[in-house]
Amino acid sequence: MKNKTNYLFLFIYIFLFTFVILLFTSFIVLTSMGRKLWMKALFDLSVSIIPVFFFLMLMSLLIALVITIVSYFIQRKQYFEIEEKIEQLARGNYDHQVFIADEQDGYLEDELSLHIESLRKQMSEMSKELQVLSSRPYLVEGESKEEILRTERHRLARELHDSVSQQLFAASMMLSALVEYTKKNQGDEKLMKQLDTIEDIINASQSEMRALLLHLRPINLEGKSLQKGIEQLLRELQTKINIELVWDIQDIPLPTTVEDNLFRIIQELFSNTLRHAKAKRLEVYMKKQEEMLSLRVIDDGVGFDTSQSKVGSYGLTNIRERVNQMGGTCKIISFKNKGTSIDIRVPVVGESVIND
């Protein structure tokens, strides 16, 4: 509404300015021709059948209209360029083509473009500094935070595997034997339904336990690239979980700390999908786009309302924190019964920058 008002005022100003200029020009021309009553002459003289006065007014309207339309399209083009720049900054694409084109074509003359360029450079430097800071271990009683977490995860995973997981397996075997015995002796139909329900609950609990063990187990890359580590994890899932897996993962050289963070994020995402999404298909894509690493994980599960926070969202909060530590961005799109898409973008910083 404000823009429409601005353009209306612009149109009026141009019309009045042009009309005054044309009237002044007509005054000079007519007085030089000896017409002292020049204003009356403007109505007496005509162009075709239109009096000169109204002709000048019409010309002023046309000139004002043309200039206003041209201004509108020029300004709209500038708005689109600014909007695209801000969108790329929000996504963390600090080296996007839209910024490179400005530098090459010399479009950094206006003040707003200079401010945006300055902001881009500051955000790019901040993302690099974040990666450098996150790569430095913080020690607690001689151990780093990652070492403490790894040890605790390993302890919990071992205890769950040795106690709850084994008990669930034993319960499953005993129940299977009981179901077979009941079938042979033509047991009560209601009893069979109850036994089937119990079997389903135990199977679901076993799947939940596998997901928990996957999440807690302190897997590390062990000298492998991030691509090899993720592919190994996916192949392991194929043998343990009944879910369709699709992936396309590029081999992207990254600093060790960034690879470790991304690998833990992948583990967290897989765990969330297996435990909560009830998905039948999981897709994983990782590629390099300009100077950004793009990681997308998509499932066709039950989805959730992203506007509501709940206890189960702790995993996503942890993922966002890890992404922020790397100076990246995390975008989550999810709809009820339509699945979830998580898009993570992280600036690609050379190993030498991290080590400096």
Side-chain angles (χ1 to χ4, degrees):
M1 185 67 183
K2 186 177 180 181
N3 286 337
K4 291 181 179 179
T5 305
N6 291 339
Y7 284 118
L8 177 61
F9 281 126
L10 176 65
F11 174 80
I12 293 172
Y13 291 152
I14 295 174
F15 165 72
L16 293 174
F17 179 77
T18 306
F19 188 59
V20 169
I21 293 295
L22 290 177
L23 281 179
F24 182 71
T25 304
S26 301
F27 165 74
I28 295 174
V29 171
L30 291 173
T31 52
S32 65
M33 295 173 60
R35 292 181 175 267
K36 295 182 179 180
L37 300 176
W38 64 277
M39 182 61 74
K40 183 175 181 300
L42 290 177
F43 290 95
D44 292 340
L45 298 174
S46 61
V47 178
S48 296
I49 58 173
I50 304 174
V52 172
F53 181 85
F54 295 110
F55 180 77
L56 295 179
M57 185 178 291
L58 180 61
M59 288 296 296
S60 301
L61 286 171
L62 289 174
I63 292 171
L65 182 62
V66 170
I67 294 176
T68 303
I69 291 174
V70 172
S71 299
Y72 167 75
F73 282 107
I74 291 174
Q75 197 169 38
R76 189 175 71 166
K77 182 176 181 294
Q78 292 174 340
Y79 281 153
F80 283 157
E81 291 174 353
I82 292 169
E83 184 180 358
E84 185 178 5
K85 290 177 182 177
I86 293 174
E87 182 180 355
Q88 296 305 328
L89 286 178
R91 290 182 175 181
N93 298 336
Y94 308 127
D95 296 306
H96 192 269
Q97 184 62 36
V98 67
F99 301 111
I100 299 173
D102 271 2
E103 292 178 352
Q104 291 175 346
D105 299 337
Y107 286 161
L108 297 176
E109 296 178 358
D110 62 282
E111 187 176 354
L112 184 57
S113 294
L114 288 171
H115 285 316
I116 292 176
E117 177 63 15
S118 175
L119 180 62
R120 179 188 75 85
K121 290 179 179 178
Q122 290 178 23
M123 293 179 70
S124 179
E125 289 300 319
M126 287 176 62
S127 68
K128 293 177 182 179
E129 290 175 8
L130 277 172
Q131 288 193 21
V132 172
L133 290 172
S134 64
S135 67
R136 297 173 182 170
Y138 293 92
L139 301 181
V140 179
E141 296 182 356
E143 287 187 295
S144 69
K145 183 180 72 173
E146 288 297 328
E147 289 173 344
I148 295 171
L149 288 173
R150 191 181 300 115
T151 301
E152 189 64 16
R153 285 175 181 274
H154 182 70
R155 184 186 67 81
L156 289 172
R158 185 176 61 250
E159 290 184 0
L160 285 173
H161 181 270
D162 294 343
S163 57
V164 182
S165 183
Q166 296 294 338
Q167 291 172 8
L168 283 173
F169 179 74
S172 176
M173 296 298 294
M174 293 172 63
L175 183 63
S176 296
L178 181 59
V179 169
E180 289 296 324
Y181 176 80
T182 306
K183 285 181 179 179
K184 287 181 181 179
N185 292 274
Q186 297 180 348
D188 183 51
E189 185 177 347
K190 290 184 178 180
L191 177 61
M192 287 299 302
K193 288 183 178 180
Q194 290 178 342
L195 290 174
D196 289 339
T197 302
I198 295 172
E199 188 174 22
D200 291 338
I201 293 172
I202 291 178
N203 290 334
S205 298
Q206 286 181 314
S207 297
E208 176 80 7
M209 183 57 61
R210 292 192 196 101
L212 281 170
L213 291 174
L214 170 68
H215 174 65
L216 291 172
R217 192 177 57 179
I219 299 176
N220 52 51
L221 292 174
E222 298 176 347
K224 297 186 291 290
S225 66
L226 181 60
Q227 178 197 32
K228 297 296 183 183
I230 296 175
E231 288 179 345
Q232 179 181 339
L233 189 59
L234 287 165
R235 292 191 182 96
E236 184 179 343
L237 283 178
Q238 279 185 322
T239 62
K240 293 184 177 180
I241 308 295
N242 184 24
I243 186 173
E244 181 185 358
L245 297 173
V246 178
W247 69 81
D248 182 9
I249 301 171
Q250 293 181 358
D251 187 11
I252 305 170
L254 295 167
T256 304
T257 52
V258 176
E259 286 190 335
D260 289 341
N261 268 322
L262 285 171
F263 194 62
R264 287 301 303 172
I265 286 172
I266 285 289
Q267 270 191 285
E268 192 90 46
L269 289 174
F270 288 175
S271 175
N272 285 347
T273 300
L274 298 176
R275 294 169 61 196
H276 306 298
K278 299 179 182 178
K280 297 180 180 178
R281 179 184 173 93
L282 178 65
E283 302 175 28
V284 184
Y285 303 102
M286 188 178 77
K287 59 183 177 179
K288 185 178 179 181
Q289 295 179 329
E290 297 171 353
E291 296 302 316
M292 300 292 293
L293 178 141
S294 172
L295 173 64
R296 292 186 67 200
V297 178
I298 306 167
D299 68 61
D300 62 351
V302 296
F304 60 94
D305 187 353
T306 56
S307 64
Q308 295 181 354
S309 59
K310 54 183 180 179
V311 177
S313 65
Y314 171 77
L316 294 178
T317 302
N318 189 32
I319 289 170
R320 285 194 176 97
E321 288 176 356
R322 285 184 177 272
V323 173
N324 290 336
Q325 287 177 1
M326 295 183 289
T329 59
C330 179
K331 184 177 182 181
I332 300 174
I333 300 175
S334 185
F335 299 99
K336 287 282 188 179
N337 302 317
K338 292 186 178 180
T340 302
S341 172
I342 299 179
D343 187 359
I344 294 172
R345 294 175 183 269
V346 177
V348 177
V349 179
E351 186 78 47
S352 59
V353 176
I354 297 293
N355 294 332
D356 288 344

